[in-house]
Amino acid sequence: MLKLMNMLRYVLLSSLATILAGCTTIDWPAERAQAMSAAAAPTGETVDIAELLKTPLSRESALRIALVHSPEMRRLLALHEGELNSAAMTGRLANPSFSYERLRSAEGLDIERWISFGVLDVLTFPQRRRIAEADVEAGRVRLAADIVERMTAVRRGWVEAVAAGEKRRYAERVLASAEASAELALRMEAAGNFNILERARQQSYQADARSRVILARQHELAAQESLVRLLGLDADQARRLTLPARLPDLPTDPVSAPDVSRTMTATRLDLRLANAKWRSAAAASGLTRVTSLTDVSLSLREQETRGFEVELSLPVFDVGDLQRGAARAQLRAAAAELEQAALVASSDLRVGYAAYRSAYEDAIHHRDVLVPLRKAMSEETLLRYNGMLIGVFELLSDAREQVDTVIAAIESSERFWLAEADLQASLLGRPGVER
Amino acid sequence: MTSRRRFFELASLTGGAVAAATVAKAALAALPEPVIETSPSTRPPLEPASGRPYRPVVTLNGWTLPWRMNRGVKEFHLVAEPVQREFAPGFKANLWGYNGQSPGPTIEVVEGDRVRIFVTNKLPEITSVHWHGQRLPPGMDGVVGLSQPGIPPGKTFVYEFVARRPGTFMYHPHADEMVQMAMGMMGFWVTHPKDKHPLIADVDRDFCFLLNSFDIDPGSATPKIMTMLDFNIWSWNSRVFPGIDPLIVRHNDRVRIRIGNLTMTNHPIHLHGHEFLVTGTDGGPTPISTRQYEVTQDIAVGQMRQIEFLADEEGDWAFHCHKSHHTMNAMGHDVPTMIGVKQDDLAAKINDLVPGYMAMGERGMDEMSTMRMPMPKNTLPMMMGEGPFGAVGMGGMFSVVKVRRGQKRNDYTDPGWYRHPPGTVAYEFTGNAPSAARETGAGGASMPLKQPVEATVNVRKPRGHSGH
């Protein structure tokens, strides 16, 4: 008996050593930090919201609040922590089972003790560990990708809210001048210099301008609230939230094509995920080759007689060919997926970069050509007014015509910063991630 | 002034591409050297160096073309070409003209002279010269297609005829004439009488100028050639006030002024301080019996008039077109009347969207003549001119006839502002008004007014701008 026990102990211990040596474990704080870094997220575990809200909120501050503070972000992290742990479980052995039987019969007391475990589990442990590692890696990538997605949403929300404010303020300036011209028209009518038609025409500009302001205010409010939700601000914090008066200046050296192609590496999230899936499928396929044939369990029995019991399922009816075929197909699918991921990643990058680049050129064109042209026209119009070549109403009507140019310029800048947010995600490989 | 090199410089200055037609030197060798004028100021009268003597005219802000005598024929050389003309300091226009200027030089001949005029075309299209009002062979009348083929760019044509009747004439193209005249191609022609003429008096000073008009968008420099009536530059010899020289006259001089109208509307020309007689029209001298004293003479489109007066009132006398918008420089056709409309308090609001905006016109437009604000480049203010008592507030077809006792015969130098004898200038009233003698017994209760008059009419100018 003792001899037997020793033998068994030896087997158990040796396999345990093997298991423990490469056992998959999850160090959550490290995983979290790693994912943040993979997502190129701003560092820092805490954020002083009250302090950040004292001044107009920059895009970076908005990101920090959203990543550290927002409940949505915390929910996301908790979900991923759970998923990673589940994935790691595959890499552990099923626990040995112990059974104890105590039967009283006519012949007396009959005690039977069994200790049993799946031998194949132990033998196939390296494969299982590989699967677990691949699954954990996939989980990690999904976590980083979700953070990237979150950051993109915050960046976009911030850009939209700032642009909406800019447009609202400009609409208000236009209204002020339209009010002045309507007032002037009323005075002209009172002095007998205008008829009702002329006066009404001037007043209708003011009415249009007011309608623009109402819409602009609503648009701004909606955009700000959408940012508030992304940041997870409560009502009081939302009240204190202020944003910069205008979008940042356009960058002097935008991301270039070589910069973009340098990011086409295996560290991209989409490629990492496809790779992890493939490795998981490959490991699973190796495992299936063994387990599809049979299952072996080893038991040690101690009764009045002692000895081993080996249970072996006979591959008579199910020789496992279906299981193996399925696994092989899954492996092929994963390999094809990896190949497709590389194609999609490079195509996505081209699309994203082209969108970014054309938005940049358009915004620069607005800034350097369209707005200066409009400005030159306004300056010349003022000179003509000075020379009594046109009247004040023509001058004001020209000023109103500036509106479309200015709004278009703000919108071109907005489109650029949205494209920039999308490109940042693209460079990290977020758009190619398949859920 | 007479340099040919200068002429080529000018041609290239006014657009090398336009002045594409260059003329071969060899072709020019047999021709009289073209004389080119580079200054827009009034040149002294050109005393005739050859031929019958006469008393030459003074072309306002212009000059007379010298000629050469060739076996008894007076030979002139006109060069049609792009030019740059200063209308007044601060405003230059790209025009087409003759021999460096628009209008071209005045041609002076004597009744009975045989005249040969070489016309060299340095324009990018054909041209011709019509000798407006002359008796001549139909083949010399200058109507392209009808009386001659057009003068191609780079070619020289010859016109030759006898100046048969004395009088005041003009010349201008009759090829693409709407465009070429809108670009400033025109000139004056005077045929002096051969002998004493019963209807043509000897005068001490004989001035001449053309009325012309242009449509030059403020800030630009080239006339709009398709404009029909809405011209914004009203000029005498392609000059506008204060760029037009004054007419300098000696006290008690007999003065003749010859005026030709090549604008697209009529001009009632008005002289202050004197009455004049219209002594000549398109057809020549007027019969004595038809002459009556006038202070304004309307000159219709395409017409010429010569007026004469005795300058017996000393002083600086305004002389101008009586259409008040013709004594203005470029102005807006659709500027609303702001009189009586307070704007200052709204200026701040408007300024927010239109930085640099200033309220104007609440008390009329006189402030425009003193305010100096930035304007489109190459554009004159609507109202200009500094006189001895302040801003004159004029532009366009306005000048001054200066009659002076001390002026020497044939001296055309500007004597400066007139010195008024004490007590002869309008002054501000500061005393108490003596009460007027009134009849108080009339009216009364016999015919009381039934209802008060309340209708008020606000006077404004008609908006349509056609029919100047």
Side-chain angles (χ1 to χ4, degrees):
Chain A
M1 166 77 198
L2 262 174
K3 231 172 160 185
L4 237 163
M5 285 300 278
N6 281 344
M7 272 179 72
L8 187 61
R9 189 175 296 129
Y10 171 75
V11 171
L12 281 173
L13 281 179
S14 61
S15 31
L16 207 64
T18 324
I19 291 160
L20 288 178
C23 183
T24 320
T25 54
I26 297 299
D27 174 2
W28 175 243
E31 292 291 351
R32 183 178 168 281
Q34 213 178 28
M36 286 288 188
S37 141
T43 51
E45 301 269 311
T46 57
V47 63
D48 185 348
I49 295 176
E51 184 62 29
L52 288 179
L53 289 182
K54 276 183 187 161
T55 51
L57 190 70
S58 70
R59 202 169 61 147
E60 284 315 297
S61 301
L63 277 179
R64 289 186 53 207
I65 294 179
L67 292 180
V68 176
H69 166 79
S70 87
E72 173 60 21
M73 188 66 194
R74 281 183 274 133
R75 182 188 76 91
L76 204 69
L77 289 174
L79 280 180
H80 276 289
E81 186 178 355
E83 276 173 22
L84 278 189
N85 280 301
S86 304
M89 267 159 62
T90 324
R92 302 222 168 148
L93 275 181
N95 288 327
S97 61
F98 173 74
S99 57
Y100 177 83
E101 225 174 62
R102 188 170 183 275
L103 302 167
R104 192 181 295 275
S105 66
E107 285 127 50
L109 194 62
D110 187 6
I111 295 171
E112 202 171 353
R113 283 170 292 186
W114 295 74
I115 184 159
S116 64
F117 64 95
V119 176
L120 219 53
D121 266 8
V122 177
L123 294 178
T124 59
F125 177 74
Q127 275 100 330
R128 283 177 190 284
R129 202 186 57 192
R130 275 201 290 281
I131 293 174
E133 276 169 5
D135 288 352
V136 167
E137 162 71 0
R140 274 185 200 126
V141 177
R142 283 198 192 93
L143 168 59
D146 275 355
I147 295 171
V148 170
E149 189 190 54
R150 206 71 208 145
M151 286 167 58
T152 307
V154 172
R155 283 191 180 113
R156 292 185 64 104
W158 183 89
V159 166
E160 278 164 358
V162 171
E166 210 174 335
K167 283 187 266 186
R168 188 261 306 157
R169 264 186 303 280
Y170 190 71
E172 283 173 351
R173 273 181 63 190
V174 171
L175 175 62
S177 109
E179 275 169 348
S181 97
E183 172 60 28
L184 204 54
L186 279 170
R187 292 181 192 181
M188 291 284 279
E189 191 193 13
N193 303 4
F194 258 4
N195 53 27
I196 295 173
L197 177 62
E198 265 311 307
R199 186 261 294 154
R201 191 170 287 149
Q202 296 302 325
Q203 278 187 313
S204 74
Y205 296 136
Q206 177 208 14
D208 287 348
R210 180 166 295 286
S211 155
R212 268 185 190 245
V213 167
I214 292 169
L215 293 179
R217 282 184 183 149
Q218 170 54 28
H219 184 68
E220 181 190 22
L221 182 102
Q224 269 212 19
E225 282 305 325
S226 137
L227 180 63
V228 161
R229 288 193 294 277
L230 286 165
L231 301 185
L233 301 183
D234 61 29
D236 178 54
Q237 290 165 330
R239 201 172 38 74
R240 278 182 289 138
L241 170 68
T242 55
L243 291 169
R246 56 188 68 248
L247 289 169
D249 290 340
L250 298 171
T252 46
D253 52 342
V255 178
S256 68
D259 293 341
V260 171
S261 49
R262 264 197 294 281
T263 66
M264 257 318 279
T265 63
T267 58
R268 289 174 57 89
L269 297 177
D270 44 5
L271 298 188
R272 262 177 71 188
L273 181 62
N275 193 31
K277 281 179 168 176
W278 176 77
R279 270 166 36 219
S280 168
S285 160
L287 180 63
T288 308
R289 213 172 304 142
V290 182
T291 55
S292 64
L293 277 171
T294 184
D295 191 14
V296 184
S297 81
L298 177 71
S299 305
L300 177 74
R301 189 163 66 173
E302 188 180 40
Q303 212 187 1
E304 68 278 15
T305 55
R306 291 176 193 143
F308 295 106
E309 184 177 303
V310 177
E311 194 183 307
L312 188 72
S313 70
L314 294 176
V316 174
F317 304 112
D318 177 8
V319 291
D321 55 332
L322 297 176
Q323 271 190 61
R324 287 191 302 280
R328 274 199 304 277
Q330 274 162 19
L331 180 60
R332 279 203 308 278
E337 194 181 320
L338 176 58
E339 197 181 331
Q340 176 71 7
L343 298 180
V344 168
S346 98
S347 166
D348 261 336
L349 213 48
R350 285 194 296 272
V351 170
Y353 180 66
Y356 167 87
R357 202 63 213 204
S358 61
Y360 180 75
E361 273 154 25
D362 184 49
I364 289 281
H365 180 67
H366 273 86
R367 189 194 68 184
D368 293 350
V369 179
L370 292 172
V371 171
L373 267 180
R374 187 62 241 186
K375 196 161 166 277
M377 282 168 70
S378 295
E379 281 164 7
E380 282 302 311
T381 305
L382 180 64
L383 294 182
R384 290 173 78 91
Y385 168 78
N386 287 347
M388 282 265 170
L389 300 163
I390 57 167
V392 62
F393 292 98
E394 228 178 300
L395 179 69
L396 287 168
S397 122
D398 172 81
R400 278 191 300 270
E401 280 167 31
Q402 291 175 31
V403 173
D404 293 338
T405 310
V406 173
I407 296 285
I410 295 172
E411 282 173 351
S412 78
S413 174
E414 179 183 6
R415 275 196 302 277
F416 167 75
W417 286 111
L418 291 177
E420 194 263 356
D422 289 346
L423 180 67
Q424 284 203 33
S426 246
L427 293 178
L428 292 167
R430 168 64 192 86
V433 172
E434 288 164 60
R435 310 310 324 268
Chain B
M1 164 180 164
T2 60
S3 134
R4 189 202 300 225
R5 188 148 139 261
R6 177 83 195 143
F7 154 68
F8 282 112
E9 269 172 22
L10 198 79
S12 62
L13 195 100
T14 53
V18 175
T22 49
V23 182
K25 267 207 167 142
L28 285 172
L31 303 182
E33 179 82 1
V35 184
I36 306 301
E37 174 61 64
T38 55
S39 154
S41 57
T42 306
R43 291 285 163 198
L46 182 74
E47 295 295 339
S50 54
R52 269 178 188 277
Y54 56 84
R55 184 143 190 78
V57 298
V58 170
T59 306
L60 205 55
N61 290 99
W63 57 300
T64 290
L65 186 62
W67 67 87
R68 86 177 173 196
M69 227 21 160
N70 188 358
R71 297 166 198 252
V73 179
K74 279 186 179 168
E75 288 185 339
F76 296 87
H77 191 174
L78 281 178
V79 179
E81 60 181 349
V83 302
Q84 200 170 54
R85 172 75 170 180
E86 184 196 71
F87 277 70
F91 174 39
K92 283 184 182 159
N94 301 328
L95 301 181
W96 286 357
Y98 299 95
N99 300 49
Q101 296 294 320
S102 158
T106 299
I107 292 176
E108 285 183 84
V109 296
V110 178
E111 177 188 0
D113 275 353
R114 174 161 283 274
V115 184
R116 186 179 297 136
I117 306 134
F118 298 91
V119 178
T120 298
N121 183 8
K122 291 180 67 75
L123 298 172
E125 68 168 351
I126 60 152
T127 189
S128 73
V129 183
H130 164 60
W131 313 98
H132 185 113
Q134 304 274 6
R135 291 265 179 164
L136 37 60
M140 293 292 163
D141 200 34
V143 181
V144 154
L146 178 66
S147 41
Q148 67 163 91
I151 308 172
K155 300 289 184 192
T156 299
F157 271 40
V158 183
Y159 293 89
E160 187 168 332
F161 55 90
V162 174
R164 283 160 63 181
R165 66 174 179 89
T168 300
F169 303 92
M170 307 186 281
Y171 65 88
H172 62 80
H174 229 294
D176 193 13
E177 66 189 84
M178 186 189 81
V179 167
Q180 295 191 4
M181 285 174 68
M183 289 295 283
M185 299 196 68
M186 53 192 71
F188 220 91
W189 178 302
V190 175
T191 303
H192 296 279
K194 181 161 57 175
D195 304 305
K196 283 269 178 213
H197 192 291
L199 297 178
I200 302 175
D202 288 336
V203 292
D204 302 297
R205 307 211 176 209
D206 199 341
F207 294 96
C208 67
F209 60 91
L210 289 169
L211 307 171
N212 49 7
S213 61
F214 299 90
D215 183 19
I216 300 177
D217 212 10
S220 70
T222 308
K224 291 161 89 170
I225 52 176
M226 304 307 274
T227 297
M228 299 177 203
L229 291 169
D230 287 352
F231 297 92
N232 61 3
I233 307 295
W234 301 101
S235 45
W236 289 355
N237 275 356
S238 307
R239 289 288 278 189
V240 295
F241 180 79
I244 302 175
D245 282 334
L247 292 78
I248 310 299
V249 167
R250 189 175 62 144
H251 186 243
N252 282 334
D253 267 356
R254 180 156 288 281
V255 181
R256 178 187 293 137
I257 304 174
R258 305 166 191 254
I259 307 163
N261 180 5
L262 286 177
T263 71
M264 296 302 126
T265 188
N266 64 309
H267 298 278
I269 299 296
H270 175 55
L271 174 66
H272 290 209
H274 297 81
E275 306 83 35
F276 56 75
L277 292 170
V278 178
T279 58
T281 64
D282 299 18
T286 53
I288 304 285
S289 62
T290 65
R291 298 181 185 178
Q292 56 186 8
Y293 284 101
E294 306 277 6
V295 293
T296 303
Q297 171 60 35
D298 195 19
I299 305 175
V301 179
Q303 283 188 340
M304 297 154 291
R305 290 290 179 270
Q306 58 186 53
I307 61 173
E308 282 174 36
F309 62 98
L310 182 67
D312 54 359
E313 292 290 347
E314 250 200 315
D316 291 337
W317 301 108
F319 178 48
H320 59 92
C321 174
H322 213 278
K323 285 187 174 176
S324 51
H325 63 284
H326 290 184
T327 55
M328 291 281 138
N329 290 327
M331 55 190 269
H333 283 181
D334 208 15
V335 176
T337 303
M338 304 303 291
I339 292 172
V341 180
K342 191 171 156 54
Q343 304 165 62
D344 316 20
D345 55 327
L346 297 174
K349 262 182 156 180
I350 297 175
N351 243 312
D352 192 35
L353 202 64
V354 188
Y357 159 83
M358 250 181 89
M360 284 194 285
E362 183 184 340
R363 290 165 293 273
M365 305 255 267
D366 180 58
E367 57 191 6
M368 274 302 291
S369 58
T370 48
M371 244 196 294
R372 282 293 164 260
M373 290 199 293
M375 291 196 22
K377 69 177 169 94
N378 198 38
T379 301
L380 297 174
M382 181 174 93
M383 303 155 89
M384 302 179 73
E386 278 298 312
F389 299 104
V392 178
M394 290 277 166
M397 297 174 159
F398 183 92
S399 187
V400 177
V401 175
K402 295 189 170 186
V403 182
R404 291 292 186 281
R405 253 175 235 284
Q407 198 75 12
K408 292 198 175 61
R409 197 174 155 73
N410 286 334
D411 180 8
Y412 289 87
T413 52
D414 189 339
W417 298 120
Y418 179 62
R419 289 196 198 152
H420 301 265
T424 64
V425 176
Y427 59 98
E428 183 187 356
F429 177 68
T430 51
N432 290 318
S435 55
R438 289 184 203 280
E439 170 59 58
T440 51
S446 64
M447 293 177 77
L449 197 60
K450 281 255 169 81
Q451 71 263 347
V453 179
E454 44 175 55
T456 58
V457 175
N458 292 304
V459 177
R460 59 190 292 281
K461 292 195 172 186
R463 271 186 117 70
H465 206 264
S466 55
H468 280 289

